[in-house]
């Protein structure tokens, strides 16, 4: 056993069940382990590494800014934050943004914004604001966010939970409409559920939810931490239905796979509820993060990563559809955000991932039955062809073993 694995198992809390590989280097779509073995990264740190590992432009932006100015806190203005937020707002059509670091912090920011907007703009009675969320949601791991998870495992023994949330069926706009009361401040939704298993709602769902929210003076808050910034084949997954949410949450790829960078963006009247003292973060919006974020967004636009994601995602789905294996229940995806549902009676997604890892392809199961494929958006057709070949062979192998046993 390698020392990296042993030390991590001994000293790191066991809040994950990693695949047994110890990575030590990354470049583009590839990572290398301690022994020098090369792997194609089809996971991209849950979509955070859309620009590829150690993207030279991002590394350069990081180095240049690190030598110039890193952290001063928001007690002062800097020459980087304004340009970063201007670019993010212009690209997404939002009015203002509040910078944070991790995804969960940006979701917390959205929850606070929605509640305060509910009281101050909508006139909801004190402490009565409700936020509606969906079954199968994943928005992070803070105490408040797990309070509205539909997954009991995320909550067990972490109570008392934060009240004020209602869960409705994902993909069912009528259920949203029925759940709205005069106390509803917002509807928080992932346009495609990532951690839930790459779950794509029916066409028209998001636009119908948008209408319902507008008609009831409820904020539509889109969590695009995973789906945003090109992952699903458009800049935002909301763009597939021409929906401009009232609040938008970005993270992961916003930091170019280099730093944690997140933000909550929104309409002017939503963002206006924040006044000095209402929210903050020591590191949120620091100039190092802003410089990397600016470059991450510039690369996304200049290298047309959303378009690339759409084209290569369609190609990948076509190739996967050609695999003839009884283990595959279904294949679904949008852009380079693809899930292969494995029939649990015939095999486990974990075993598929372990076998792929042995062959030099890194992926990660979600919800035991789904193999998630979300490579850096800079991947090539040739690399995808190789990946499809490995997946085909692994599924064949597993099927033969199953028949032999
Ligand atoms: N919203 C969505 C849609 C996400 O996918 C978060 C919020 C939280 O982001 P942070 O940066 O706080 O992790 C995510 C994160 C995990 C895990 O093990 C997290 C995600 C996906 C898979 C696993 O915590 N996405």
């Amino acid at each position: 056993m390698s020392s990296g694995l042993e030390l991590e198992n001994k000293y790191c809390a066991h809040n994950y069940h990693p695949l047994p590989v110890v990575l030590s280097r990354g470049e583009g779509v590839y990572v290398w382990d301690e022994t020098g073995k090369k792997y194609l990264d089809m996971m991209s740190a849950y979509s955070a590494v859309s620009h590829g590992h150690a993207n030279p432009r991002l590394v350069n932006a990081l180095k240049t800014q690190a030598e110039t100015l890193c952290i001063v806190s928001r007690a002062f203005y800097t020459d980087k934050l304004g340009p970063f937020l201007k670019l993010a707002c212009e690209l997404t059509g939002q009015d203002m943004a509040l910078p944070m670091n991790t995804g969960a912090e940006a979701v917390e920011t959205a929850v606070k914004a929605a509640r305060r907007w509910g009281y101050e703009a909508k006139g909801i009675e004190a402490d009565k604001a409700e936020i509606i969320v969906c079954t199968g949601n994943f928005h992070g791991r803070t105490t408040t966010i797990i309070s509205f998870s539909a997954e009991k495992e995320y909550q067990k023994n972490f109570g008392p939970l934060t009240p004020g949330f209602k869960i409705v069926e994902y993909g069912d706009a009528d259920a949203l409409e029925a759940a709205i009361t005069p106390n509803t401040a917002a509807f928080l939704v992932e346009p495609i559920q990532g951690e839930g298993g790459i779950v794509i709602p029916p066409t028209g769902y998001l636009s119908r939810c948008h209408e319902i929210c507008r008609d009831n003076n409820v904020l539509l808050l889109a969590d695009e931490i995973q789906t945003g910034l090109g992952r699903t084949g458009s800049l935002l997954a909301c763009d597939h239905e021409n929906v401009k949410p009232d609040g938008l949450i970005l993270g992961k790829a916003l930091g170019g796979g280099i730093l944690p960078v997140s933000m909550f963006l929104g309409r002017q009247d939503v963002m206006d509820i924040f006044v000095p003292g209402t929210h903050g973060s020591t590191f949120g919006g620091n100039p190092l993060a802003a410089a990397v974020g600016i470059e991450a967004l510039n690369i996304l636009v200049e290298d047309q990563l959303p378009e690339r994601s759409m084209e290569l995602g369609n190609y990948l789905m076509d190739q996967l559809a050609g695999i003839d294996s009884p283990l595959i229940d279904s294949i679904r995806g949008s852009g380079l955000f693809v899930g292969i549902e494995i029939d649990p009676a015939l095999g486990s997604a974990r075993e598929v991932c372990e076998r792929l890892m042995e062959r030099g392809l890194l992926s990660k199961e979600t919800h035991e039955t789904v193999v998630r494929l979300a490579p850096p958006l800079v991947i090539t057709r040739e690399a995808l062809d190789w990946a499809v070949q490995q997946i085909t062979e692994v599924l064949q192998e597993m099927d033969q073993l199953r028949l032999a046993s």
Side-chain angles (χ1 to χ4, degrees):
M1 261 216 282
S2 82
S3 63
L5 190 147
E6 280 166 3
L7 289 173
E8 199 167 308
N9 275 339
K10 182 164 162 52
Y11 290 103
C12 185
H14 294 169
N15 56 330
Y16 279 92
H17 180 33
L19 287 171
V21 57
V22 183
L23 301 174
S24 58
R25 189 165 78 83
E27 191 183 322
V29 296
Y30 296 103
V31 287
W32 285 262
D33 73 11
E34 284 184 324
T35 69
K37 183 175 168 184
K38 181 179 174 184
Y39 300 82
L40 175 64
D41 184 1
M42 293 285 280
M43 229 280 282
S44 317
Y46 302 112
S47 302
V49 190
S50 290
H51 301 74
H53 294 277
N55 183 299
R57 282 182 62 180
L58 287 164
V59 171
N60 190 41
L62 179 86
K63 278 186 180 162
T64 307
Q65 189 62 37
E67 287 164 357
T68 313
L69 183 68
C70 290
I71 319 275
V72 292
S73 88
R74 293 279 311 283
F76 312 99
Y77 291 87
T78 67
D79 60 353
K80 286 290 173 299
L81 183 57
F84 177 39
L85 301 187
K86 175 175 189 278
L87 182 58
C89 284
E90 284 174 356
L91 277 175
T92 59
Q94 297 293 340
D95 295 327
M96 286 179 103
L98 199 160
M100 298 299 280
N101 311 284
T102 65
E105 284 175 303
V107 172
E108 287 277 355
T109 306
V111 166
K112 285 177 75 174
R115 284 183 167 183
R116 213 170 148 97
W117 177 89
Y119 300 123
E120 297 181 359
K122 184 165 172 169
I124 297 173
E125 195 187 321
D127 289 340
K128 291 277 174 13
E130 292 165 356
I131 295 175
I132 300 174
V133 300
C134 292
T135 51
N137 76 71
F138 187 91
H139 298 285
R141 298 287 196 162
T142 64
T143 329
T144 286
I145 295 172
I146 59 152
S147 297
F148 56 82
S149 173
E151 198 70 44
K152 293 296 159 222
E153 182 59 23
Y154 296 168
Q155 300 176 334
K156 193 178 164 198
N157 292 336
F158 291 126
L161 302 173
T162 309
F165 299 94
K166 255 191 202 171
I167 301 181
V168 299
E169 189 69 25
Y170 185 62
D172 182 351
D174 293 338
L176 167 65
E177 192 163 33
I180 290 174
T181 73
N183 291 336
T184 308
F187 174 51
L188 171 64
V189 65
E190 297 156 85
I192 293 176
Q193 289 185 335
E195 194 53 11
I198 323 281
V199 182
I200 303 177
T203 308
Y205 172 64
L206 202 66
S207 54
R208 178 82 190 104
C209 288
H210 193 210
E211 262 173 36
I212 293 167
C213 285
R214 199 187 47 213
D215 293 350
N216 290 280
N217 196 24
V218 165
L219 299 176
L220 178 74
L221 304 177
D223 180 346
E224 294 239 27
I225 288 169
Q226 192 157 173
T227 55
L229 305 179
R231 177 51 58 191
T232 71
S234 53
L235 183 76
L236 301 175
C238 283
D239 296 342
H240 292 302
E241 298 210 351
N242 291 319
V243 166
K244 187 166 94 173
D246 308 302
L248 170 68
I249 311 163
L250 296 178
K252 293 192 191 278
L254 190 59
I258 288 193
L259 289 174
V261 185
S262 69
M263 61 174 70
F264 173 60
L265 305 95
R267 224 168 54 196
Q268 189 71 44
D269 62 311
V270 178
M271 302 309 284
D272 278 346
I273 63 94
F274 288 110
V275 295
T278 49
H279 198 46
S281 157
T282 303
F283 293 105
N286 69 73
L288 187 63
V292 168
I294 289 171
E295 198 66 343
L297 292 175
N298 282 336
I299 293 170
L300 206 75
V301 173
E302 287 164 29
D303 293 355
Q304 300 186 321
L305 294 186
E307 292 80 359
R308 193 181 170 94
S309 171
M310 177 60 90
E311 192 193 319
L312 291 177
N314 286 339
Y315 179 73
L316 175 61
M317 297 265 285
D318 281 350
Q319 299 303 304
L320 291 172
I323 301 179
D324 181 20
S325 169
L327 274 80
I328 299 180
D329 240 358
S330 63
I331 296 165
R332 45 182 188 259
S334 179
L336 283 168
F337 198 41
V338 174
I340 307 175
E341 181 93 41
I342 303 294
D343 183 342
L346 304 184
S348 77
R350 175 87 186 184
E351 186 181 345
V352 176
C353 293
E354 283 171 352
R355 287 177 179 273
L356 287 172
M357 188 194 82
E358 280 164 25
R359 290 165 169 268
L361 193 161
L362 294 182
S363 169
K364 187 76 169 77
E365 80 280 2
T366 167
H367 280 259
E368 278 132 49
T369 55
V370 183
V371 178
R372 182 200 325 236
L373 300 176
L377 305 183
V378 297
I379 197 167
T380 60
R381 254 171 211 255
E382 292 68 36
L384 287 175
D385 286 340
W386 182 82
V388 171
Q389 184 63 31
Q390 304 315 307
I391 295 165
T392 307
E393 290 175 18
V394 159
L395 293 174
Q396 269 169 5
E397 232 166 67
M398 286 174 64
D399 199 34
Q400 278 160 10
L401 283 169
R402 181 181 65 86
L403 293 173
S405 67

